[in-house]
Amino acid sequence: MTAIAKTPRRVRKRATDPDGLQPSPYSTAKAWRNGDVITRLSFFIFGLGNLLRKQIIKGLIFLAVEIGAIAYLATSGEQYLLKLPSLGSAEQTKVKVDGFWVYQAGDNSVQILLYGVMAIFVIILLVIVATLSGRSAYKAQSVIAEGDKPVSIFEDVRSLTNHNAHVGLMFLPTLGIVIFTILPLVFMISMAFTSYDQNHVVLFDWVGLKNFGAIFSSTGEVNAGLFISVLIWTLVWAFFATFLNFFFGMFMAMIINRKTTHFKGFWRACFSMSIAVPQFVSLLVMHTMLQRDGAINRLLMGWGLIDGPLPFLTDATWARVTVIIINLWVGIPYTIMQITGILQNVPAELYEAAELDGASWWQRFTNVTMPYIFFVMTPYLITTFTGNVNNFNVIYLLTNGSPTPVGASAGKTDLLITWLYKLTVDRSNYNLGAVIGIMTFVVLSVVALITYRNSGSYKNEEGFR
């Protein structure tokens, strides 16, 4: 019998890592190194160690997962895995049967790519469950060697509602993130390395970094000049859409929150009503009103303020300024509501200390109010900036990316996200759209990480400084 390091079942002082977390006495490495034959076989026959050590339900769960995963791989996953390197080669054919032409479907590269990625995820799941099975078997082996009885399934379930509650509570969200976020993300990233476009809808191949080269080339419907232009406008738009909303919303909230302002509830209700109206309805109405023959131009000409219609949506500069202003009207009410809650929770002693020091209202604002608001709202500003980079609704519903130069795949007000939409939905260039999606992710992740890691909210999480 393989020697087992004596580890008390429930109480033992162990060395901790730098983060203060105790290392598990039942790690995968220890299970393989110190486990007996049954424990080691449990890495290949899931649940074997649990079944033989009378943890029947737990062992059956491990075994059912293994059987289900292997059954999937054997019935459908294997064929997609084998075709994944080539993404399929059989084209659709037609044959004559009883005097009638019958079409026989060939390979579909989209299905091969999708189900191939899913099969890889199933294999990763098998590896993870294999380690869990081995560790569980080793734990049962250790407990029996110490003269105790292995933990039953009911005790495991009970622990999930007590000291291991975080495991049970995080399981479903983690599973949802894997299925609905990570899996589609890997599929989209994989698509960026293929020739999946309008000329290769059914069958396409791996092309490596060719699509990334197209983004930085000097010719083509997607080129370096166009990409840099759209990227710069996206960042400019996100900056103004975020910080103009923040500062105007903050000043409006402070004005409403002043002691001398009457009917505070009425003013807040007025701003809240604009949030209640569906955003797409407001944007489509504004799109109609801003046309050359729309209500705003007609009204201004009727009052004699202008001689001809203003090019709100037909001139690049006018259109960009217009979408920023309209976004103020859409976004300021949200900021007012958030700043109002923060202003009502600023520690009163900070203001009292400032007044005792003889600080003016401007000094109190710059040294107390603003730092406190920034400390609380830095994570929100980062997420708002990210949301504005991906703000599809305002741009697409208000201008549809226009004005668009002749022959260009992106308009002067297109963001990376609306350009991606046009490349995929309108032009069926899914590979180039995937590249744009990856570049958007890279830009956002770099900006968000650098900004947040240098903020007070990250460096001083325990309190306001």
Side-chain angles (χ1 to χ4, degrees):
M1 183 68 70
T2 306
I4 300 174
K6 294 295 183 181
T7 306
R9 186 181 180 190
R10 289 182 174 82
V11 180
R12 165 172 264 201
K13 291 184 179 180
R14 298 190 301 271
T16 59
D17 61 15
D19 295 327
L21 301 176
Q22 295 178 337
S24 173
Y26 310 111
S27 64
T28 304
K30 291 179 180 179
W32 182 257
R33 184 174 58 250
N34 301 328
D36 58 16
V37 175
I38 294 175
T39 297
R40 293 182 180 182
L41 285 176
S42 297
F43 284 97
F44 306 99
I45 305 175
F46 298 173
L48 178 63
N50 301 105
L51 290 171
L52 295 180
R53 291 170 179 131
K54 298 182 180 181
Q55 292 180 307
I56 306 299
I57 298 178
K58 185 184 292 186
L60 290 176
I61 292 174
F62 278 125
L63 188 59
V65 172
E66 182 180 24
I67 292 174
I70 292 177
Y72 169 76
L73 292 174
T75 54
S76 59
E78 179 186 11
Q79 60 176 323
Y80 292 112
L81 276 175
L82 294 175
K83 292 181 179 179
L84 192 59
S86 65
L87 294 177
S89 57
E91 298 182 356
Q92 182 183 31
T93 59
K94 64 177 182 178
V95 295
K96 209 167 189 179
V97 179
D98 297 330
F100 296 95
W101 289 105
V102 178
Y103 287 89
Q104 295 181 343
D107 291 330
N108 189 314
S109 295
V110 176
Q111 290 184 357
I112 294 172
L113 181 59
L114 175 60
Y115 290 112
V117 170
M118 289 178 59
I120 293 175
F121 271 71
V122 172
I123 293 174
I124 295 174
L125 173 65
L126 272 175
V127 174
I128 294 173
V129 177
T131 61
L132 295 177
S133 174
R135 292 170 59 185
S136 180
Y138 177 62
K139 183 177 181 180
Q141 174 193 344
S142 302
V143 170
I144 292 174
E146 294 164 3
D148 274 332
K149 183 180 179 181
V151 178
S152 67
I153 187 66
F154 302 104
E155 290 177 294
D156 281 333
V157 172
R158 191 157 44 246
S159 74
L160 291 176
T161 61
N162 192 6
H163 59 278
N164 286 326
H166 61 282
V167 177
L169 293 174
M170 291 301 295
F171 173 73
L172 286 179
T174 303
L175 183 63
I177 290 172
V178 171
I179 295 175
F180 299 110
T181 302
I182 297 179
L183 179 60
L185 183 63
V186 173
F187 176 68
M188 185 272 289
I189 293 174
S190 302
M191 197 179 295
F193 299 92
T194 69
S195 59
Y196 186 22
D197 56 19
Q198 57 189 342
N199 299 319
H200 305 87
V201 178
V202 179
L203 284 177
F204 49 82
D205 303 312
W206 297 104
V207 295
L209 298 175
K210 179 180 177 181
N211 296 321
F212 290 87
I215 292 290
F216 298 104
S217 66
S218 58
T219 58
E221 65 175 351
V222 177
N223 54 67
L226 186 58
F227 173 75
I228 293 174
S229 174
V230 175
L231 175 61
I232 292 174
W233 160 240
T234 300
L235 295 177
V236 169
W237 148 262
F239 176 83
F240 283 106
T242 300
F243 290 100
L244 286 181
N245 278 344
F246 171 73
F247 284 111
F248 280 112
M250 179 181 62
F251 287 123
M252 292 297 296
M254 292 179 65
I255 292 173
I256 295 174
N257 201 55
R258 290 180 62 188
K259 295 180 180 180
T260 56
T261 301
H262 301 289
F263 309 111
K264 292 181 174 63
F266 170 76
W267 297 116
R268 289 169 184 156
C270 289
F271 286 105
S272 299
M273 289 178 63
S274 64
I275 301 176
V277 179
Q279 190 181 91
F280 82 95
V281 174
S282 302
L283 293 173
L284 289 177
V285 170
M286 292 302 300
H287 173 76
T288 303
M289 294 175 65
L290 291 170
Q291 298 295 326
R292 292 182 63 85
D293 56 349
I296 294 179
N297 274 321
R298 287 177 176 270
L299 192 63
L300 293 176
M301 287 189 291
W303 288 347
L305 299 177
I306 56 175
D307 297 327
L310 298 176
F312 290 111
L313 305 179
T314 55
D315 179 80
T317 303
W318 276 84
R320 289 176 173 179
V321 173
T322 298
V323 295
I324 291 174
I325 293 175
I326 298 300
N327 187 68
L328 291 176
W329 171 65
V330 171
I332 281 178
Y334 292 95
T335 307
I336 290 176
M337 299 305 163
Q338 294 207 352
I339 297 292
T340 298
I342 295 174
L343 289 175
Q344 293 175 352
N345 288 278
V346 178
E349 57 269 19
L350 296 178
Y351 288 117
E352 293 172 0
E355 291 178 0
L356 289 176
D357 290 339
S360 63
W361 70 269
W362 178 251
Q363 290 174 322
R364 292 197 299 271
F365 171 73
T366 56
N367 292 286
V368 178
T369 307
M370 274 296 294
Y372 187 85
I373 291 175
F374 268 120
F375 176 81
V376 174
M377 291 197 67
T378 296
Y380 168 76
L381 289 174
I382 293 173
T383 57
T384 302
F385 182 86
T386 303
N388 282 320
V389 169
N390 293 319
N391 197 333
F392 181 87
N393 287 346
V394 172
I395 299 298
Y396 194 81
L397 295 177
L398 194 60
T399 67
N400 195 21
S402 297
T404 304
V406 177
S409 59
K412 294 298 184 179
T413 58
D414 267 320
L415 306 179
L416 289 174
I417 186 66
T418 57
W419 189 23
L420 184 155
Y421 178 85
K422 290 180 178 180
L423 288 172
T424 54
V425 176
D426 296 343
R427 297 173 179 261
S428 299
N429 289 328
Y430 298 97
N431 51 354
L432 295 177
V435 174
I436 298 297
I438 293 174
M439 300 302 294
T440 303
F441 169 76
V442 170
V443 172
L444 285 178
S445 60
V446 170
V447 172
L449 286 174
I450 292 177
T451 305
Y452 182 63
R453 289 182 66 87
N454 286 280
S455 67
S457 301
Y458 175 81
K459 294 179 179 179
N460 184 18
E461 294 182 357
E462 300 300 324
F464 168 64
R465 65 180 182 183

